[in-house]
Amino acid sequence: MAEPSSSVMTRLFTDLIGHNVSFSDQSRPIMAKSEQLFCLYQIKPMDSSRIIQADMSLLSSFAGALIGLSAEAIKERVAEPQLDESLRDALHEVMNIASRIVSLEHRAVFKGIYADPGSLPTDARNTLRDPCYASYFNVKIDGYDGGTLALLAPF
């Protein structure tokens, strides 16, 4: 699998949200201390699954910045029992655009976001449990909460 570089990811997200974003490579996973989200992608034509696992705060920052929310407004909306519709839609848009870095060799199709890893399809749960390939990043966003992001693949 061709690896997405931290510089390519930095450029993609900086251009997308209009704020400086920096991705730095990590040699191993950073232990998540916050709520995680699991974004599922189907890779065509193989029909295999790849996953972006990231901190909820990081993905919410991407989505909120995309629609012009302040960091405080994002925190307020995320604290609600149900995720705000505009923030949820923006989050889906961000993850759809992120398909560009999920697979550099093949077409990646965004399939959905899961808060519970147990609700992922079986092949995706297997990838999450024992990825053959993994890239780990620490992400910072000027003026917003950053966090960790991992790209996990079965081959």
Side-chain angles (χ1 to χ4, degrees):
M1 178 175 144
E3 272 186 61
S5 69
S6 55
S7 63
V8 167
M9 296 173 76
T10 293
R11 196 169 31 257
L12 174 73
F13 285 96
T14 296
D15 290 348
L16 176 63
I17 67 170
H19 293 272
N20 288 326
V21 177
S22 65
F23 279 75
S24 58
D25 295 303
Q26 303 296 305
S27 59
R28 58 179 182 240
I30 299 170
M31 297 308 290
K33 297 176 184 152
S34 63
E35 183 179 354
Q36 299 289 289
L37 291 178
F38 305 87
C39 304
L40 178 63
Y41 297 83
Q42 186 175 34
I43 307 304
K44 297 290 189 176
M46 294 87 64
D47 288 332
S48 64
S49 296
R50 291 195 184 152
I51 300 166
I52 289 180
Q53 177 181 351
D55 296 335
M56 168 75 155
S57 59
L58 172 63
L59 296 184
S60 297
S61 290
F62 283 146
L66 179 68
I67 59 175
L69 296 176
S70 69
E72 287 306 313
I74 294 168
K75 288 176 187 174
E76 290 171 7
R77 291 183 185 199
V78 169
E80 295 294 320
Q82 189 151 0
L83 191 59
D84 175 81
E85 183 179 357
S86 62
L87 194 58
R88 185 193 69 233
D89 290 349
L91 180 55
H92 281 258
E93 183 64 23
V94 168
M95 293 296 90
N96 192 41
I97 292 169
S99 67
R100 295 179 194 169
I101 51 95
V102 169
S103 178
L104 301 178
E105 302 156 332
H106 303 285
R107 184 170 162 250
V109 179
F110 174 61
K111 300 306 271 183
I113 299 172
Y114 297 78
D116 174 17
S119 63
L120 286 163
T122 302
D123 65 329
R125 283 195 315 268
N126 292 338
T127 298
L128 185 61
R129 184 176 48 255
D130 188 25
C132 290
Y133 169 83
S135 287
Y136 304 102
F137 303 94
N138 189 39
V139 185
K140 295 181 181 173
I141 307 170
D142 285 354
Y144 292 88
D145 288 343
T148 62
L149 183 143
L151 176 57
L152 310 168
F155 53 85

